[in-house]
Coordinates of all heavy atoms in Angstrom, one line a residue:
F106 N 118.0 93.6 95.8 CA 118.6 92.5 95.0 C 119.3 93.1 93.8 O 119.1 94.2 93.4 CB 117.6 91.4 94.7 CG 116.5 91.9 93.9 CD1 116.5 91.7 92.5 CD2 115.4 92.5 94.5 CE1 115.4 92.1 91.7 CE2 114.3 92.9 93.7 CZ 114.3 92.7 92.3
V107 N 120.1 92.2 93.2 CA 120.8 92.6 91.9 C 120.5 91.5 90.9 O 120.5 90.3 91.2 CB 122.4 92.6 92.2 CG1 123.1 92.7 90.9 CG2 122.7 93.8 93.1
V108 N 120.2 91.9 89.7 CA 120.1 91.0 88.6 C 121.3 91.2 87.7 O 121.6 92.3 87.2 CB 118.8 91.3 87.8 CG1 118.6 90.3 86.6 CG2 117.6 91.3 88.7
E109 N 122.0 90.0 87.4 CA 123.2 90.1 86.6 C 122.9 90.0 85.1 O 121.9 89.4 84.7 CB 124.1 88.9 87.0 CG 124.5 88.9 88.4 CD 125.7 89.8 88.7 OE1 126.3 90.3 87.7 OE2 125.9 90.1 89.9
P110 N 123.7 90.5 84.3 CA 123.6 90.4 82.8 C 123.6 88.9 82.5 O 124.3 88.1 83.1 CB 124.8 91.0 82.2 CG 125.3 91.9 83.3 CD 124.9 91.3 84.6
G111 N 122.7 88.5 81.6 CA 122.6 87.1 81.2 C 121.4 86.4 81.8 O 121.1 85.3 81.5
F112 N 120.8 87.1 82.8 CA 119.6 86.5 83.4 C 118.5 86.4 82.4 O 118.2 87.4 81.7 CB 119.1 87.3 84.6 CG 117.8 86.8 85.2 CD1 117.7 85.7 86.1 CD2 116.6 87.3 84.8 CE1 116.5 85.3 86.6 CE2 115.4 86.9 85.3 CZ 115.3 85.9 86.2
Q113 N 118.0 85.2 82.2 CA 116.8 85.0 81.2 C 115.8 84.2 82.0 O 116.1 83.3 82.8 CB 117.3 84.2 80.0 CG 118.2 84.9 79.1 CD 118.5 84.0 77.9 OE1 118.5 82.8 77.9 NE2 118.9 84.7 76.8
G114 N 114.5 84.6 81.7 CA 113.4 83.9 82.4 C 112.2 84.8 82.3 O 111.9 85.4 81.3
T115 N 111.4 84.8 83.4 CA 110.2 85.6 83.5 C 110.2 86.5 84.7 O 110.9 86.2 85.7 CB 108.9 84.7 83.5 OG1 109.0 83.9 84.7 CG2 108.8 83.9 82.3
W116 N 109.6 87.6 84.6 CA 109.4 88.6 85.6 C 107.9 88.8 85.7 O 107.2 89.2 84.8 CB 110.1 89.9 85.3 CG 109.9 91.0 86.3 CD1 108.8 91.5 86.8 CD2 111.0 91.6 87.0 NE1 109.1 92.5 87.8 CE2 110.4 92.6 87.9 CE3 112.4 91.5 87.0 CZ2 111.2 93.4 88.7 CZ3 113.1 92.3 87.8 CH2 112.5 93.2 88.7
E117 N 107.3 88.4 86.9 CA 105.8 88.5 87.1 C 105.5 89.4 88.2 O 106.0 89.2 89.3 CB 105.2 87.1 87.3 CG 103.7 87.1 87.6 CD 103.1 85.8 87.8 OE1 103.9 84.8 88.0 OE2 101.9 85.7 87.9
V118 N 104.8 90.5 87.9 CA 104.3 91.4 89.0 C 103.0 90.8 89.5 O 102.0 90.7 88.7 CB 104.2 92.8 88.4 CG1 103.5 93.7 89.5 CG2 105.5 93.4 88.0
V119 N 102.9 90.5 90.7 CA 101.7 89.9 91.3 C 100.9 91.0 92.0 O 99.6 91.0 91.8 CB 102.1 88.8 92.4 CG1 100.8 88.2 93.0 CG2 102.9 87.7 91.7
E120 N 101.5 91.9 92.7 CA 100.9 93.1 93.3 C 101.7 94.3 92.8 O 102.9 94.2 92.8 CB 101.0 93.0 94.8 CG 100.2 91.9 95.4 CD 100.4 91.8 96.9 OE1 101.1 92.6 97.5 OE2 99.8 90.8 97.5
T121 N 101.0 95.4 92.5 CA 101.7 96.5 91.9 C 103.0 96.9 92.6 O 103.0 96.9 93.9 CB 100.7 97.7 91.9 OG1 99.6 97.4 91.1 CG2 101.4 99.0 91.4
V122 N 104.0 97.0 91.9 CA 105.4 97.2 92.4 C 105.8 98.7 92.2 O 105.5 99.3 91.2 CB 106.4 96.3 91.6 CG1 107.8 96.7 91.8 CG2 106.2 94.8 92.0
R123 N 106.6 99.1 93.2 CA 107.4 100.4 93.0 C 108.7 100.1 93.5 O 108.9 99.6 94.7 CB 106.7 101.5 93.9 CG 107.5 102.8 93.7 CD 106.8 104.0 94.4 NE 106.7 103.8 95.8 CZ 107.6 104.3 96.7 NH1 108.6 104.9 96.4 NH2 107.3 104.0 98.0
K124 N 109.7 100.3 92.7 CA 111.1 100.1 93.1 C 112.0 101.2 92.6 O 111.8 101.9 91.6 CB 111.6 98.7 92.5 CG 111.8 98.8 91.0 CD 112.4 97.5 90.4 CE 112.6 97.7 88.9 NZ 113.4 96.7 88.3
Y125 N 113.1 101.3 93.3 CA 114.2 102.2 92.9 C 115.2 101.3 92.1 O 115.4 100.1 92.5 CB 115.0 102.8 94.1 CG 114.1 103.7 94.9 CD1 114.2 103.6 96.3 CD2 113.3 104.6 94.4 CE1 113.5 104.4 97.1 CE2 112.5 105.5 95.2 CZ 112.6 105.4 96.6 OH 111.9 106.2 97.3
F126 N 115.7 101.7 91.0 CA 116.6 100.9 90.2 C 117.8 101.7 89.8 O 117.8 102.9 89.7 CB 115.9 100.3 89.0 CG 115.5 101.4 88.0 CD1 116.4 101.8 87.0 CD2 114.3 102.1 88.0 CE1 116.1 102.8 86.1 CE2 114.0 103.1 87.1 CZ 114.9 103.4 86.1
V127 N 118.9 100.9 89.5 CA 120.1 101.4 88.9 C 120.5 100.4 87.8 O 120.7 99.2 88.2 CB 121.3 101.6 89.8 CG1 122.5 102.1 89.1 CG2 120.9 102.6 90.9
F128 N 120.6 100.8 86.6 CA 121.2 100.0 85.5 C 122.6 100.4 85.2 O 122.8 101.6 85.1 CB 120.4 100.1 84.2 CG 119.1 99.2 84.2 CD1 117.9 99.7 84.4 CD2 119.3 97.8 83.9 CE1 116.8 98.9 84.3 CE2 118.1 97.0 83.9 CZ 116.9 97.6 84.1
A129 N 123.5 99.5 85.1 CA 124.9 99.8 84.8 C 125.5 98.7 83.9 O 125.0 97.6 83.8 CB 125.7 100.0 86.0

Side-chain angles (χ1 to χ4, degrees):
F106 59 98
V107 170
V108 181
E109 297 284 347
F112 174 84
Q113 293 182 334
T115 61
W116 181 300
E117 180 179 6
V118 174
V119 179
E120 296 173 2
T121 298
V122 164
R123 181 173 62 92
K124 69 172 181 170
Y125 299 135
F126 68 88
V127 176
F128 276 104

